[in-house]
Amino acid sequence: MAASTFARLPGFRDFPPEDLALRSHVFDAWRRVSRRYGFVEYDGPPLETLELYTEKSGDEIVQQLYTFTDKGDRQVALRPEMTPSLARILGDRSRGMSKPIRWFSVPQLFRYERQQRGRLREHFQWNVDIVGEDGIAADAEVLAVAIDGLRELGLGPDAFRARVSDRRLVAAAFVAEGVAPERVPAALAVVDKLEREPRGKSVEGLVREAGMTDGAAASVLDLFTEPGALKQRLGDHEAVAPGLERLEAYVGMLDAMGLGDFVEVDLRIVRGLAYYTGIVFELFDRKHDLRAICGGGRYDRLLELVGGEPLAAVGFGMGDVVLGELLAEEGKLPEYSKSLDYFIVTVSEDQRREALRIAHALREKGKSVAYALREQGLTKQLKAAGREGAREVLIVGPDELAKGCVVAKEMASGREREVALADLT
């Protein structure tokens, strides 16, 4: 029977040790920062009912999902994001929990999308959420976590920035400029594409979707693209002024934390997902060569959609794919190397039984230990110790055992010393 060869599925990754080391490096940083801020980790199943996602995002999302009918005749999907699962989990138990709820997770997510730079069909994502607090202090806290997650990995304000905005403020500006409230969501969709489309096309979009004239559409776009224009023109408007004050207070809190150099107000950021209800943000590399590293904001009605109690919520998701590219560009990838506390070398097979006893005793003390699994000469064993990154070699020979000791050799310096067996085991 001919041997078969199997290719990895498009958009998926293998993680040999050197790549898994980078993943662990990133995950460890995410977890350290989350816990510093008082968040606790949770998880959920990678398979959920399809309805959980269509309830939030509409039937059109089905084309982006890995979905199928299971053996129980249920329509299910591999999770494309974590927030609906969070809402479902809290929907069952939030009424009995103290607020605010500070949870984080690092799930693997799946989307059947076209592959491109920074986007695969699977990725891991750092999700951080505060549930049950509607004040802007929660919004500022969540963004501070995201910023510190990147700082923990060695990235500074010269490498990335957080662009912040407020959907309520942008919506209020459209209404103040004469757009009917029912047409504001379509207008927000035009704003969301401002950086990706020519200005003329954006003007056409507002004329078509928001019912504006060409002149009015061009004028309102200036509010979102020229710094300070919104405050200058509509700063005293009764619907706009509170939003401006809220956004200024939010930025002020981040500045008080010492994170002001990372933050930039940009009203073009409205986030494409309609469930966002207030302050939103995205993190980008300074060169703007990559996709968004992170995105999030306030979503105060999502828990109700999946049967939970009406609770305010704010959170973000940060993927590992774009972040890995940024770390590589900034020279912040960790150096991979094997490491081992001890490699045990035997002079002959007569010492193997004692070597096994020593190895197991050291392992029980929390040390990492390896040895040759078959009979080899001293030179081969020492070379193997070097390949494994051993800090020390323990040489077990008949003369040393007769004296109740082994010879410990430091691999870096070559220094040798005798160590009593009692001290090792």
Side-chain angles (χ1 to χ4, degrees):
M1 184 175 179
S4 299
T5 58
F6 298 97
R8 187 178 65 242
L9 287 172
F12 287 76
R13 296 170 290 176
D14 295 318
F15 290 94
E18 60 272 19
D19 294 336
L20 190 62
L22 169 60
R23 196 179 89 182
S24 298
H25 173 69
V26 170
F27 288 9
D28 289 347
W30 286 349
R31 288 187 165 104
R32 285 195 302 271
V33 172
S34 297
R35 289 166 182 149
R36 283 180 205 157
Y37 278 77
F39 288 78
V40 292
E41 190 168 5
Y42 76 100
D43 201 358
L47 199 66
E48 295 273 18
T49 61
L50 178 60
E51 188 180 7
L52 183 65
Y53 305 112
T54 57
E55 181 70 27
K56 166 183 164 292
S57 303
D59 291 337
E60 61 273 14
I61 196 175
V62 174
Q63 299 304 315
Q64 302 173 22
L65 305 185
Y66 282 90
T67 180
F68 58 94
T69 302
D70 73 1
K71 293 181 180 180
D73 203 31
R74 291 173 288 261
Q75 289 291 307
V76 296
L78 288 174
R79 62 187 178 197
E81 56 180 317
M82 198 62 181
T83 309
S85 294
L86 171 66
R88 178 186 57 74
I89 294 167
L90 290 179
D92 291 338
R93 67 190 66 203
S94 64
R95 287 178 175 84
M97 298 174 66
S98 60
K99 312 297 188 301
I101 299 163
R102 294 170 176 254
W103 282 11
F104 82 95
S105 63
V106 187
Q108 187 175 24
L109 306 177
F110 306 87
R111 279 186 181 258
Y112 195 83
E113 296 181 308
R114 182 173 63 87
Q115 297 175 72
Q116 51 188 294
R117 187 184 184 194
R119 174 176 285 178
L120 301 175
R121 290 178 175 174
E122 60 80 20
H123 70 281
F124 290 87
Q125 183 169 288
W126 184 28
N127 283 76
V128 174
D129 297 270
I130 295 178
V131 178
E133 174 54 59
D134 59 6
I136 59 169
D139 298 77
E141 187 87 340
V142 161
L143 179 53
V145 175
I147 293 171
D148 278 348
L150 296 187
R151 293 178 65 223
E152 185 77 1
L153 292 164
L155 299 171
D158 57 333
F160 75 96
R161 58 179 173 164
R163 299 163 64 190
V164 305
S165 181
D166 189 331
R167 281 177 66 98
R168 286 172 296 181
L169 174 59
V170 176
F174 272 119
V175 173
E177 290 291 295
V179 176
E182 64 272 13
R183 302 185 99 169
V184 166
L188 290 173
V190 174
V191 174
D192 186 51
K193 300 175 183 176
L194 280 178
E195 288 187 277
R196 303 189 297 275
E197 294 184 344
R199 181 179 173 88
K201 189 171 183 179
S202 299
V203 170
E204 292 174 6
L206 288 180
V207 171
R208 181 178 62 254
E209 302 294 342
M212 307 183 80
T213 64
D214 286 351
S219 178
V220 79
L221 286 181
D222 292 339
L223 298 177
F224 311 127
T225 56
E226 296 182 9
L230 180 61
K231 185 173 184 178
Q232 183 176 356
R233 190 193 306 181
L234 297 172
D236 294 330
H237 191 282
E238 62 179 358
V240 174
L244 286 170
E245 293 174 3
R246 182 172 56 244
L247 193 57
E248 289 175 0
Y250 168 71
V251 173
M253 288 181 178
L254 291 158
D255 188 57
M257 296 180 197
L259 302 176
D261 289 343
F262 294 90
V263 180
E264 172 184 310
V265 174
D266 188 337
L267 298 178
R268 293 172 297 178
I269 302 298
V270 294
R271 304 285 290 151
L273 297 172
Y275 70 81
Y276 286 110
T277 59
I279 288 175
V280 290
F281 60 86
E282 293 181 352
L283 273 58
F284 287 92
D285 65 290
R286 281 284 183 181
K287 298 175 185 175
H288 214 4
D289 290 337
L290 305 172
R291 300 173 61 84
I293 309 162
C294 168
R298 181 162 287 281
Y299 57 97
D300 285 345
R301 292 192 292 268
L302 183 59
L303 269 69
E304 289 180 82
L305 290 177
V306 295
E309 62 177 321
L311 281 177
V314 57
F316 71 79
M318 180 183 296
D320 70 319
V321 178
V322 177
L323 178 54
E325 293 190 6
L326 179 58
L327 291 173
E329 287 192 359
E330 295 293 323
K332 299 297 183 181
L333 293 177
E335 185 176 338
Y336 173 74
S337 62
K338 287 185 175 182
S339 64
L340 195 67
D341 291 323
Y342 300 106
F343 193 98
I344 299 180
V345 170
T346 55
V347 173
S348 72
E349 278 295 287
D350 292 341
Q351 291 85 48
R352 179 169 290 275
R353 185 176 181 85
E354 182 62 17
L356 293 175
R357 186 185 75 83
I358 294 169
H360 200 72
L362 289 170
R363 287 167 175 167
E364 287 188 332
K365 293 167 69 173
K367 304 298 183 181
S368 54
V369 185
Y371 44 79
L373 298 177
R374 64 175 64 182
E375 185 175 5
Q376 291 180 338
L378 285 174
T379 300
K380 281 192 173 182
Q381 291 181 72
L382 290 170
K383 286 182 178 179
R387 289 195 301 270
E388 295 297 326
R391 179 173 55 83
E392 281 193 308
V393 168
L394 301 179
I395 301 173
V396 183
D399 295 339
E400 288 77 18
L401 290 181
K403 293 192 296 182
C405 68
V406 299
V407 173
K409 178 179 180 178
E410 294 180 5
M411 294 295 284
S413 65
R415 288 195 298 267
E416 295 184 359
R417 70 188 192 282
E418 290 186 349
V419 179
L421 287 174
D423 293 338
L424 281 178
T425 62

